[in-house]
Amino acid sequence: IAPHPPLDLLREVDAVWIPSGSDWEGGINDRHAFMPRKYADAYLGAWALVTGGEAKDVMLDTLGAMKVNGYPGPNTECFLKARLAYNNINIERFPSVAYLTCTQREKSRWTQCSGTATNDAPGWLYKDEMEHATRIAKCVRSSWTQKKMDDCKEDISRLYRGFR
């Protein structure tokens, strides 16, 4: 709902840049990232770890046995966090200006589309995520600066159960 932060602002720090939010069950948002090419294998290499039999060891080494073997167990967000930690890759966050949309046509037992009464009108999947992105977009007002990167951040960790 607002422009992506300029890549020049993100290139100044050697890290994987991930938007705020969607850090489910103590993991880290896995929907979008900006990174130097040297981190692409670690970020995108989940399948290689799974098929190579290394995924559980990576998660145990970085997340601990309680997170990996306990309830509700690991998820894709936790697996991403583990891969980045295992490879000693710094994670930076930028304020998210996007949220998941949906229509009433997309029905699932896991999610419910809100904010729309018709089959084709767009709504939102997670209200808190939509409200967060809307606040950030208003703060940014269509142009990013380093000051806005700092000023527009907000702590939304309370929204994600198990956040650590």
Side-chain angles (χ1 to χ4, degrees):
I1 57 178
H4 190 282
L7 301 185
D8 289 341
L9 284 178
L10 305 180
R11 281 190 183 106
E12 295 175 7
V13 178
D14 186 38
V16 171
W17 283 89
I18 296 174
S20 56
S22 298
D23 297 335
W24 299 107
E25 300 291 342
I28 193 152
N29 187 334
D30 64 353
R31 294 186 200 156
H32 173 73
F34 171 81
M35 73 200 83
R37 187 177 303 272
K38 65 184 177 181
Y39 298 141
D41 284 344
Y43 186 90
L44 300 169
W47 187 243
L49 291 174
V50 170
T51 59
E54 302 169 74
K56 185 174 182 181
D57 292 336
V58 168
M59 289 189 294
L60 286 170
D61 286 352
T62 55
L63 303 175
M66 187 66 129
K67 178 64 187 168
V68 176
N69 299 322
Y71 178 83
N75 57 27
T76 59
E77 290 85 0
C78 290
F79 189 28
L80 173 59
K81 185 176 184 179
R83 293 192 317 273
L84 296 178
Y86 188 80
N87 287 283
N88 297 312
I89 297 172
N90 292 327
I91 299 167
E92 291 289 334
R93 306 305 289 266
F94 62 87
S96 181
V97 292
Y99 61 90
L100 290 180
T101 61
C102 57
T103 69
Q104 291 294 342
R105 285 184 194 266
E106 303 168 15
K107 300 213 187 281
S108 158
R109 68 184 184 134
W110 302 108
T111 58
Q112 181 174 345
C113 189
S114 302
T116 181
T118 68
N119 280 345
D120 294 317
W124 59 82
L125 210 48
Y126 307 111
K127 183 179 181 189
D128 289 328
E129 182 180 70
M130 178 274 299
E131 290 173 343
H132 169 66
T134 301
R135 286 190 301 273
I136 300 302
K138 286 179 182 175
C139 179
V140 169
R141 293 188 223 166
S142 78
S143 68
W144 286 92
T145 63
Q146 185 58 54
K147 183 170 176 17
K148 287 183 181 179
M149 286 280 285
D150 297 330
D151 291 351
C152 295
K153 285 182 181 175
E154 55 178 57
D155 180 11
I156 56 170
S157 59
R158 72 192 188 302
L159 302 178
Y160 304 99
R161 188 180 70 191
F163 183 81
R164 292 182 237 172

